[in-house]
Amino acid sequence: MAYMNAEEVSSVRKALKASFPKAKFAVRKTGSGVDVSVLKHNIDFSDKLVRDGYTPVNHYWIDDHFNKEQAKFLTEVKNIILTAPATVGCPYYDNSDIMTDYFDVAYYYSIEVGKWNKPYELSN
């Protein structure tokens, strides 16, 4: 069953802060995983932002939908989300088989730039 406890979510938060000290993130526990919002950083996402400074990130298609600098940053964020919980005992796995409609992951995650109620800010 996909699940993430508060300690594992906290490990994601700490790892993001350590890797990107000048960036601002919102890291929230959901019922079955973690949601990460990039609220402020020095990478320009203005070409991707819609709906008042917000855009969801499809973590399967990062390289196809973002430029090289944006994709590098978002891929690093994704890798932190997948590896940080292992430091406190929750390694990520994905044994899903979409052909049989069977989904088995350690936890779910989502990434977004900005939030629906708080736009992304470009810092210097």
Side-chain angles (χ1 to χ4, degrees), residues 29-83:
K29 181 184 180 316
T30 63
S32 58
V34 62
D35 291 339
V36 174
S37 301
V38 183
L39 300 177
K40 188 176 184 179
H41 196 40
N42 61 0
I43 296 175
D44 186 8
F45 284 98
S46 62
D47 60 327
K48 302 296 180 197
L49 300 177
V50 294
R51 294 187 274 172
D52 302 321
Y54 160 83
T55 190
V57 175
N58 183 331
H59 54 270
Y60 296 107
W61 297 93
I62 290 174
D63 290 331
D64 295 332
H65 293 280
F66 292 92
N67 69 37
K68 194 177 273 188
E69 180 185 29
Q70 295 165 343
K72 182 178 183 286
F73 169 70
L74 291 172
T75 300
E76 289 176 28
V77 169
K78 175 184 170 181
N79 290 337
I80 289 170
I81 294 169
L82 296 178
T83 58

Side-chain angles (χ1 to χ4, degrees), residues 12-27:
V12 172
R13 188 177 293 113
K14 289 175 186 174
L16 286 170
K17 189 170 182 95
S19 295
F20 306 104
K22 295 184 179 184
K24 184 176 179 184
F25 296 93
V27 181

